[in-house]
Amino acid sequence: MSKIDRRAFLLGTAIVALPGATFAAADPYANSPWRKLSDADWRKRLDIASYNVLRKEATEMAGTSPLNKEKRRGTYVCLGCGLPLFKSDWKYDSGTGWPSFYTAIKGALGKKTDYLIGVPRTEYHCAQCLGHQGHVFPDGPRPTGLRYCNNGDALKFVPA
């Protein structure tokens, strides 16, 4: 896989370059102050579990997030930077043990192919701070048929 493939995200119809990528592309968050934070800054801002998920692409244990039981109306935002990612109306119980959504707020996520477990999966990150959120799978409910399987340690719920 080329350096461009590993460091590019699909954001809508634009390819978004990660820091260190070999090309520039249209990216509405390219100058975000969240992208300028050092690793040390992120470590200070986040607890260890959220740091490992958002900055090191870890996965929390299934069934451990209190957000699995969240039923109120509101918005799920990136814990790293506060960018709104999902509306509560789009959340459903996938039975997987992680907060799941069938769609995301337009332009809020960047996607890339992840080969970490040996098979390709579509990974998604917050478009503003590039914090890892989870993976999207084609086994969700209507109307999209998608399941955005999100780490609760990467989200914050903001009640309406």
Side-chain angles (χ1 to χ4, degrees), residues 9-16 106-111 127:
F9 285 87
L10 294 177
L11 180 60
T13 58
I15 294 179
V16 178
K106 186 175 180 172
L109 302 176
K111 298 176 184 173

Side-chain angles (χ1 to χ4, degrees), residues 67 70-79 81-89 101 155-160:
L67 294 178
E70 181 59 65
K71 304 291 186 203
R72 296 174 292 171
R73 293 190 63 111
T75 305
Y76 292 84
V77 303
C78 175
L79 185 71
C81 69
L83 183 71
L85 304 177
F86 304 100
K87 294 182 181 179
S88 61
D89 293 344
F101 306 86
L155 290 175
K156 177 181 172 185
F157 179 71
V158 179

Side-chain angles (χ1 to χ4, degrees), residues 121-136:
R121 300 180 296 172
T122 302
E123 178 181 333
Y124 62 92
H125 289 225
C126 170
Q128 181 167 254
C129 72
L130 304 177
H132 171 75
Q133 294 291 322
H135 293 85
V136 61

Side-chain angles (χ1 to χ4, degrees), residues 143-157:
T144 65
L146 298 175
R147 172 174 51 99
Y148 287 85
C149 189
N150 217 100
N151 287 284
D153 284 334
L155 290 175
K156 177 181 172 185
F157 179 71

Side-chain angles (χ1 to χ4, degrees), residues 15-59:
I15 294 179
V16 178
L18 289 176
T22 56
F23 66 97
D27 178 356
Y29 298 107
N31 295 316
S32 168
W34 296 103
R35 298 215 188 152
K36 294 174 174 66
L37 291 179
S38 70
D39 188 63
D41 291 332
W42 282 113
R43 283 184 186 272
K44 288 178 197 170
R45 294 181 60 81
L46 302 169
D47 65 45
I48 191 67
S50 295
Y51 170 81
N52 285 333
V53 170
L54 285 163
R55 307 318 304 170
K56 299 299 178 185
E57 300 180 350
T59 301

